[in-house]
Amino acid sequence: MNKRTESRSIVIIGGGLGGLAVGSYLLMNGFRTHILEQANQCGGVAVTWDRKGYRFDGATNYLPGSSPALNAHNIIGEIIDLHKLRFYDYPEFIRIEHEGEVFRVYTDAERLRKEMLRIAPEDRKVIDEFIGAVKRFGAFNLPFEKAPETFTVIDALSFLAKNFPLLMFRQKWGTISVERYARRFRNRAMRAMFQQIFPHHEHFAVMAPIAPLGWMNRKVAGYPLGGSLKIIELMEERYRSLGGTIEFFKPVKQINVKDGAATGVTCDDDRVYDADIVVSAADLHETLFELLGGAFTPRGFVKRFESYHPFSSLVQVSLGIKRTFDGEAEKLNMPLDKPLHMGNHTARDMMVRILNFDPVYAPTGKTSVIVQLRTEDCDYWCALRNEDRNRYNQEKQHVAEVVTESLERRFAGVRKNVEVVDVATPATYVRYTRLWKGAHQGWAPTPGVIGRPQPKTLPGLRNFYLTGQWESPAGGIPAVIAVGRQVAQIICKREGKRFRGSVEGKGK
Ligand SMILES: Cc1cc2nc3c(=O)[nH]c(=O)nc-3n(C[C@H](O)[C@H](O)[C@H](O)COP(=O)(O)OP(=O)(O)OC[C@H]3O[C@@H](n4cnc5c(N)ncnc54)[C@H](O)[C@@H]3O)c2cc1C
């Protein structure tokens, strides 16, 4: 092993899944890593919490790569001990209830075709085309094993040859929005409900819903039993077992730079951590404009903040309910009883996750239910919390009441069985993770953005790297693992080392 690089020390900002992933890959390659996390635990946006016997988890719905049939499985397996995970395959991706009609979005593509034809027999041509795309996408491997920044000419040519069908697919399905594609349906109900497969994400490229439907049809994107907490525990276990260290309650306030190179970081408590290399796995906007003070933000990045669309923010009402929901879909989108005005945003429907398929969430006979309302007005909640805490709390209570009333109408008797209510707002997300605009999965996969590689280094700043969900639009667990892998590959290449994706020394 190269002695010079063996002792290179790396500070990683952020102990979300992105920080843990890049840390593990760097440790496998002989670097020393130390994670500084501002919160009291790892996990970032995938955080899970317990209240009175109920567990609330708003994140992990499914893990692409749950089966070896998808190449992501091998990569995830480098960072997560998959032998310790069991998976559940949903029969329905989501059930949409809209103006008296019900659309069951089955994960089996042929059942889905029949369901769409039941609702919109006049749209057979569009339905057949869409189902064909779902089936085709499921067969693709994901082209993220190697960082494009480390490609030789031969690598680039073989990448193009190997992934040509996927690139063509992306050219067609990754450049048209869900909303525009939905206009092809003549049936009014189908046109509306198609846009709710990902509720309120009609500006996404239509490839965004095609991807999970394609994977689920092939049964390669199951839900990991134990949810986000299990994933965080396994990733933290992997990182620590490789010798990585973590400090909590350590908000970084500045990335230190000398002569055009990062030299370490300074935390809020003024403690300085010197390092040979700094990797930021924290929010992108915070990294560029706060920690680096905007000094190394090339025009391309500024343009992204002007033209890309971040994910919406979330208001999450978590309910502990003393009853079961047998026979109900695991996820449904349903109307609210009355519109909820939240600043400049009005919510008219809500997404409900009934976590009755995993025993970790509630004792027998009880159910943890997560309701999510999407909003583009994160600033409203942050300002309200800062300026008027009483009104902020009243607003949270009002949201919880409207949500509970709406659930009562749909599931008679729910109200009297509610044992726990917990409301998180975009201000909660910002406080716990420092996310820009509360964008819970970074850049949205809008037309033309989906699959586009994002720069992991900044011009004029040596020894500094970016990783995490903002580096791969749409985010996701496999994405942050893959980006961490690619950042480690780039660092290895620059340090003259051969990258290893395992500790056993098998080069991958
Ligand atoms: C509602 C929801 C549903 C999801 N569903 C799925 C799914 O079904 N499947 C899937 O694969 N993925 C899913 N994801 C996405 C996945 O969970 C995320 O993409 C991933 O966890 C992001 O990890 P990250 O480390 O890049 O970012 P983050 O989680 O944001 O981590 C960044 C970390 O940096 C810390 N930090 C920030 N600033 C500082 C600072 N100055 N100093 C120190 N620390 C700092 C934060 O506290 C945080 O811990 C979902 C996410 C959400 C929120």
Side-chain angles (χ1 to χ4, degrees):
M1 185 176 291
N2 181 330
K3 278 215 171 98
R4 185 174 69 87
T5 57
E6 193 173 18
S7 62
R8 300 277 269 167
S9 70
I10 301 185
V11 159
I12 298 167
I13 309 166
L17 302 185
L20 290 169
V22 76
S24 293
Y25 279 119
L26 289 165
L27 289 160
M28 287 174 203
N29 287 282
F31 296 92
R32 284 180 292 123
T33 64
H34 188 60
I35 291 179
L36 296 169
E37 166 56 51
Q38 55 133 17
N40 62 341
Q41 58 186 337
C42 285
V45 294
V47 68
T48 301
W49 61 102
D50 292 339
R51 293 272 189 289
K52 299 182 185 165
Y54 291 94
R55 176 162 295 170
F56 298 128
D57 174 359
T60 316
N61 294 240
Y62 52 90
L63 184 65
S66 59
S67 143
L70 188 69
N71 67 333
H73 185 84
N74 293 338
I75 294 175
I76 296 168
E78 293 171 343
I79 297 298
I80 299 174
D81 185 348
L82 291 169
H83 298 108
K84 293 186 178 165
L85 275 183
R86 284 186 306 120
F87 292 93
Y88 169 75
D89 290 307
Y90 303 107
E92 289 175 42
F93 182 67
I94 189 168
R95 191 178 293 180
I96 297 157
E97 298 178 352
H98 176 81
E99 294 179 357
E101 179 63 273
V102 179
F103 174 24
R104 292 173 171 81
V105 183
Y106 291 113
T107 53
D108 178 277
E110 279 312 314
R111 270 186 100 187
L112 177 59
R113 187 201 308 268
K114 280 195 195 117
E115 174 71 351
M116 292 177 84
L117 284 170
R118 176 187 70 74
I119 298 167
E122 66 270 46
D123 286 314
R124 177 175 286 280
K125 210 169 149 214
V126 194
I127 292 169
D128 284 348
E129 185 193 40
F130 177 71
I131 296 294
V134 165
K135 286 182 160 179
R136 227 161 345 117
F137 186 84
F140 290 128
N141 269 327
L142 300 176
F144 54 35
E145 282 167 9
K146 193 161 183 190
E149 294 84 345
T150 64
F151 276 2
T152 59
V153 176
I154 306 270
D155 286 337
L157 291 174
S158 92
F159 175 89
L160 283 177
K162 209 164 118 191
N163 296 297
F164 189 70
L166 174 60
L167 296 175
M168 287 293 97
F169 186 94
R170 197 176 76 194
Q171 187 54 33
K172 174 167 182 188
W173 297 96
T175 52
I176 174 166
S177 71
V178 171
E179 194 268 332
R180 255 187 67 209
Y181 190 76
R183 284 189 225 153
R184 296 183 188 179
F185 293 102
R186 278 181 289 163
N187 183 288
R188 208 175 135 262
M190 180 49 74
R191 205 182 309 138
M193 292 192 291
F194 183 83
Q195 297 184 58
Q196 294 189 17
I197 294 178
F198 268 172
H200 303 285
H201 288 163
E202 56 278 1
H203 54 294
F204 281 16
V206 73
M207 191 165 150
I210 286 175
L213 290 173
W215 291 324
M216 288 188 189
N217 177 51
R218 228 177 131 208
K219 296 213 179 330
V220 296
Y223 160 82
L225 289 162
S228 300
L229 186 61
K230 183 84 180 166
I231 299 283
I232 297 165
E233 283 171 358
L234 290 174
M235 287 183 68
E236 189 174 341
E237 181 182 301
R238 180 80 169 132
Y239 174 75
R240 289 189 189 275
S241 74
L242 289 163
T245 50
I246 310 175
E247 266 180 277
F248 296 115
F249 298 116
K250 279 287 174 191
V252 171
K253 69 173 177 190
Q254 181 182 293
I255 294 165
N256 303 329
V257 178
K258 197 175 168 205
D259 301 330
T263 60
V265 301
T266 305
C267 288
D268 272 3
D269 59 8
D270 285 330
R271 187 155 165 212
V272 173
Y273 290 78
D274 291 326
D276 298 309
I277 293 170
V278 175
V279 177
S280 179
D283 174 75
L284 179 64
H285 193 273
E286 147 125 346
T287 302
L288 296 177
F289 297 102
E290 303 296 329
L291 309 187
L292 285 167
F296 298 92
T297 311
R299 182 78 201 120
F301 272 99
V302 176
K303 261 175 106 176
R304 271 183 197 88
F305 285 101
E306 289 163 2
S307 61
Y308 280 21
H309 204 299
F311 257 82
S312 57
S313 194
L314 294 174
V315 176
Q316 179 170 313
V317 183
S318 308
L319 299 150
I321 306 179
K322 196 175 61 177
R323 63 164 270 186
T324 56
F325 288 82
D326 303 327
E328 293 295 344
E330 290 92 349
K331 194 194 281 182
L332 73 145
N333 205 66
M334 55 172 278
L336 283 161
D337 273 2
K338 53 182 172 203
L340 256 176
H341 305 289
M342 302 177 289
N344 289 325
H345 185 88
T346 301
R348 295 177 200 282
D349 54 41
M350 60 184 186
M351 195 177 82
V352 183
R353 276 185 88 203
I354 301 176
L355 297 168
N356 56 1
F357 48 91
D358 188 341
V360 296
Y361 291 115
T364 312
K366 301 185 177 189
T367 313
S368 166
V369 173
I370 302 288
V371 176
Q372 289 178 339
L373 307 158
R374 295 177 197 277
T375 170
E376 301 290 329
D377 197 353
C378 173
D379 293 347
Y380 165 73
W381 287 100
C382 294
L384 196 59
R385 188 179 183 280
N386 282 342
E387 289 156 20
D388 189 343
R389 195 64 68 85
N390 274 343
R391 247 196 77 213
Y392 174 74
N393 288 332
Q394 282 163 10
E395 275 294 277
K396 284 183 20 168
Q397 208 175 331
H398 175 62
V399 169
E401 271 160 21
V402 174
V403 162
T404 314
E405 264 171 44
S406 308
L407 288 174
E408 174 67 22
R409 181 187 40 79
R410 174 66 178 72
F411 306 100
V414 151
R415 177 184 277 288
K416 66 175 188 301
N417 288 311
V418 172
E419 294 189 313
V420 184
V421 184
D422 183 279
V423 182
T425 73
T428 321
Y429 281 88
V430 171
R431 207 152 42 91
Y432 279 110
T433 61
R434 302 195 175 201
L435 277 178
W436 182 61
K437 291 182 183 267
H440 65 282
Q441 278 181 245
W443 297 125
T446 50
V449 170
I450 196 164
R452 191 185 290 172
Q454 306 295 312
K456 302 172 193 77
T457 53
L458 297 175
L461 183 59
R462 283 174 286 117
N463 299 341
F464 176 77
Y465 299 86
L466 293 161
T467 193
Q469 60 181 359
W470 292 90
E471 300 314 306
S472 178
I477 298 164
V480 300
I481 291 178
V483 170
R485 192 178 204 271
Q486 294 190 359
V487 168
Q489 287 171 339
I490 299 168
I491 294 175
C492 283
K493 187 167 182 195
R494 292 192 177 172
E495 299 290 327
K497 300 187 86 167
R498 183 158 180 265
F499 173 77
R500 298 188 311 187
S502 66
V503 268
E504 289 76 33
K506 286 185 220 137
K508 292 199 178 191

